[in-house]
Amino acid sequence: MIDLHCHSHFSDGKFSPEVLLEQALHTGVSVLALTDHDTIEGLLPLHRAAQDQSITIINGIELSTRWKKYDIHILGLNFSLTNTALNALVIQQNESRIARAKAIGSRLTLAGIDDAYEKACQIAGHDRVARPHFAAVLVQEGKVIDIQTAFKRYLKQGKPAYVPTAWISVQEAVEVIVQAGGQAVIAHPFKYDLTRKKLLALINDFKEAGGVGMEVVSGELLRTKANELARLCVDQGLLASTGSDYHGHGYSRVGLGQQQALPAHCTPIWTSWTLNK
Ligand code: MN
Ligand code: MN
Ligand code: MN
């Protein structure tokens, strides 16, 4: 079993890298990539914990990017952790995330919630707060009855506290991953509501920048959809990746390494890796 997409509590996952590793070993995952949103902080602890275990750990990250008016997620796999460009990019993304969070906080303060940013940080337990944390603040302050309503009335695009993030472009993300010796993969291509034409344009820009892979199986994607992506992957000459996009029990319906098998006719991205251990 190979799982190349999951999250730890260093981004929005529920568990530590150590707990994820335990779960991976328990379910028989042989190759695991931790792909936290815009951070590589969880990778060292994961490597340390996995040292004497019979599992291969692949360095991973899920970068938030902007392509036209879409927020596109690009996975970086098998890169060097010490690469300077990648480390600088991670810092820059984190600054953009914090700047956005503070802007959302100010808008919510205007809407009558004092210290919304600080309260969101308190709920999160760190300063990388995102909209779900602000939604929790709105519920806590009695402004809305639940998270969904918080998004609907305040946080969604077009609502008073919506602020877009200044993410990097797809091209920048791919270039830095390649510079760091890794491979770039388009994450869950069906999650962006792109028309077929737009998806092909995205793939084209992605490949031009040096991207080589596409996630064919992701989380609870339907078999028919995975087959469709497998065909597209082959047509486009891309390597196929697979991952559960596991965020923890209660957050994800598909467990670590429990996503369906990769359709047979595509070329798995790991055929180009040396998997020793
Ligand atoms: Mn997530
Ligand atoms: Mn994603
Ligand atoms: Mn993800």
Side-chain angles (χ1 to χ4, degrees), residues 37-38 62-75 89 93 97 165-175 177 185-187 192 202 206:
H37 298 284
D38 304 295
E62 183 169 19
L63 290 169
S64 311
T65 75
R66 192 82 176 161
W67 180 80
K68 301 190 191 288
K69 61 180 169 90
Y70 303 95
D71 286 331
I72 305 291
H73 289 175
I74 300 292
L75 296 168
L89 181 77
Q93 291 279 89
R97 198 181 279 277
T165 319
W167 296 127
I168 48 165
S169 66
V170 165
Q171 183 170 4
E172 278 175 273
V174 172
E175 282 170 0
I177 291 163
V185 171
I186 299 175
Y192 313 114
L202 168 66
F206 169 78

Side-chain angles (χ1 to χ4, degrees), residues 205-271:
D205 288 355
F206 169 78
K207 287 203 289 192
E208 240 164 50
V212 293
M214 182 169 101
E215 221 172 25
V216 168
V217 169
S218 167
E220 47 185 313
L221 188 72
L222 294 173
R223 188 78 212 163
T224 47
K225 289 285 173 188
N227 286 334
E228 200 181 320
L229 281 176
R231 272 193 301 277
L232 182 62
C233 194
V234 173
D235 284 351
Q236 293 294 319
L238 290 170
L239 296 166
S241 191
T242 175
S244 60
D245 205 355
Y246 181 65
H247 284 67
H249 294 309
Y251 293 25
S252 310
R253 265 188 252 166
V254 175
L256 201 58
Q258 300 296 297
Q259 78 279 13
Q260 56 172 301
L262 207 54
H265 47 287
C266 43
T267 311
I269 193 159
W270 55 89
T271 51

Side-chain angles (χ1 to χ4, degrees), residues 36-57:
D36 276 316
H37 298 284
D38 304 295
T39 178
I40 52 176
E41 263 184 277
L43 294 174
L44 268 188
L46 181 61
H47 278 290
R48 239 177 261 137
Q51 234 164 33
D52 301 316
Q53 306 292 341
S54 53
I55 187 169
T56 303
I57 302 299

